[in-house]
């Protein structure tokens, strides 16, 4: 079939210029929903920026997940272009590095090294120095106790069992650092724990103080943000 195009000149124009383009048309760009993740203040900061430019998200819903320590904003849940802004309360890297309240284990040299490299996490230089001095005598005492625990055939009497040793160090010391990323430093107690098996002795850190203070801080942060959002007219849902 022959395609014909009829062109009618504009009144008063004697010439018509027609440009013919050949090729494939570009694919249409379809808009997509935005998804961003930041710290626990991400939702609050996002809304503040929107309001500063006169934009009020009337359809927005803010979800509070106290178990996952997450605050998420959905600006239009019924739309396929529903933007989601997520704020997370994340454990501070130093808490993770020490493995406090986790399965992370250290041998005696690793324990001494991590303490030596973090004097700024102790409440005072004196307490850090004293703890290092105690660790200097730590290894010899452990080796004596392990040697004494062997039977006459060279086997260990305490293989794969936790053994309570009379170790001459402070079992509890105080640290000071943020519990969460972006948070303020707080003081808390940490216990040095240890266990003995056939492969030797391993150490780990426990702190009920960290558990309690972390939960209190998380609850406070969530309550303050939820109260602020409700006062500003946003819908909030606790999960």
């Amino acid at each position: 079939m022959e395609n014909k195009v009829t062109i009618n000149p504009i009144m008063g124009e004697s010439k018509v210029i027609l440009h013919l383009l050949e090729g494939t048309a570009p694919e249409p760009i379809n808009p997509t929903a935005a998804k961003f993740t930041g710290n626990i203040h991400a939702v609050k900061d996002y809304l503040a920026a929107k309001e500063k430019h006169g934009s009020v998200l009337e359809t927005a819903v803010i979800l509070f997940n106290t178990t996952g320590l997450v605050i998420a904003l959905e600006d239009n849940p019924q739309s396929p272009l529903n933007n989601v802004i997520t704020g997370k309360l994340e454990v501070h890297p130093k808490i993770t590095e020490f493995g406090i309240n986790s399965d992370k284990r250290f041998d005696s040299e690793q324990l001494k090294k991590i303490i030596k490299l973090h004097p700024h996490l102790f409440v005072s230089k004196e307490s850090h120095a004293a703890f290092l001095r105690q660790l200097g005598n730590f290894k010899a005492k452990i080796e004596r106790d392990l040697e004494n625990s062997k039977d006459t055939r060279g086997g260990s009497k305490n293989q794969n069992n936790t053994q309570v040793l009379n170790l001459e160090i402070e079992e509890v010391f105080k640290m000071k650092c943020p519990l969460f990323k972006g948070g303020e430093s707080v003081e808390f107690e940490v216990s040095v724990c240890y266990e003995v098996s056939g492969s030797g002795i391993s150490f780990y850190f426990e702190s009920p103080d960290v558990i309690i203070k972390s939960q209190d801080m998380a609850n406070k942060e969530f309550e303050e943000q939820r109260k602020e959002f409700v006062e500003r007219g946003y819908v909030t849902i606790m999960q």
Side-chain angles (χ1 to χ4, degrees), residues 24-37:
T24 304
E27 293 292 331
I29 299 176
N30 297 318
T32 58
K35 297 184 184 296
F36 299 104
T37 300

Side-chain angles (χ1 to χ4, degrees), residues 160-224:
N160 301 319
N161 292 313
T162 299
Q163 178 182 358
V164 179
L165 302 177
N166 183 24
L167 302 175
E168 298 172 353
I169 66 164
E170 293 286 344
E171 294 184 9
V172 178
F173 64 96
K174 290 187 177 182
M175 291 179 63
K176 188 174 183 179
C177 78
L179 299 179
F180 297 106
K181 287 183 179 179
E184 297 181 356
S185 292
V186 296
E187 187 176 306
F188 52 89
E189 289 189 344
V190 179
S191 298
V192 182
C193 306
Y194 47 86
E195 57 189 16
V196 177
S197 67
S199 59
I201 188 166
S202 60
F203 302 86
Y204 57 98
F205 299 103
E206 287 187 352
S207 177
D209 212 11
V210 165
I211 296 174
I212 294 171
K213 290 184 177 181
S214 295
Q215 191 61 58
D216 288 345
M217 291 176 67
N219 290 339
K220 182 181 178 182
E221 183 68 41
F222 275 50
E223 289 173 5
E224 290 179 349

Side-chain angles (χ1 to χ4, degrees), residues 62-189:
I62 302 174
L63 307 173
F64 288 79
N65 186 329
T66 54
T67 302
L69 301 179
V70 169
I71 300 176
L73 164 74
E74 297 189 16
D75 66 3
N76 192 352
Q78 296 183 336
S79 170
L81 299 179
N82 176 38
N83 298 316
V84 179
I85 310 299
T86 303
K88 291 185 177 182
L89 197 57
E90 297 182 282
V91 174
H92 193 274
K94 290 303 176 185
I95 301 295
T96 304
E97 185 176 355
F98 272 75
I100 298 174
N101 299 326
S102 75
D103 294 330
K104 190 170 186 177
R105 297 294 187 265
F106 305 86
D107 61 28
S108 58
E109 289 302 315
Q110 291 170 333
L111 177 68
K112 185 175 181 179
K113 182 177 180 180
I114 195 171
I115 295 297
K116 184 178 181 179
L117 294 177
H118 294 86
H120 56 287
L121 299 183
F122 281 70
V123 293
S124 68
K125 293 180 179 179
E126 292 76 17
S127 62
H128 178 256
F131 199 76
L132 275 181
R133 284 195 300 270
Q134 292 170 345
L135 288 179
N137 300 322
F138 210 23
K139 186 176 180 181
K141 184 67 169 72
I142 293 167
E143 288 176 344
R144 286 199 302 273
D145 286 334
L146 288 178
E147 184 66 28
N148 292 337
S149 69
K150 294 180 180 179
D151 60 28
T152 55
R153 292 171 295 177
S156 174
K157 296 179 181 179
N158 298 288
Q159 289 186 356
N160 301 319
N161 292 313
T162 299
Q163 178 182 358
V164 179
L165 302 177
N166 183 24
L167 302 175
E168 298 172 353
I169 66 164
E170 293 286 344
E171 294 184 9
V172 178
F173 64 96
K174 290 187 177 182
M175 291 179 63
K176 188 174 183 179
C177 78
L179 299 179
F180 297 106
K181 287 183 179 179
E184 297 181 356
S185 292
V186 296
E187 187 176 306
F188 52 89
E189 289 189 344

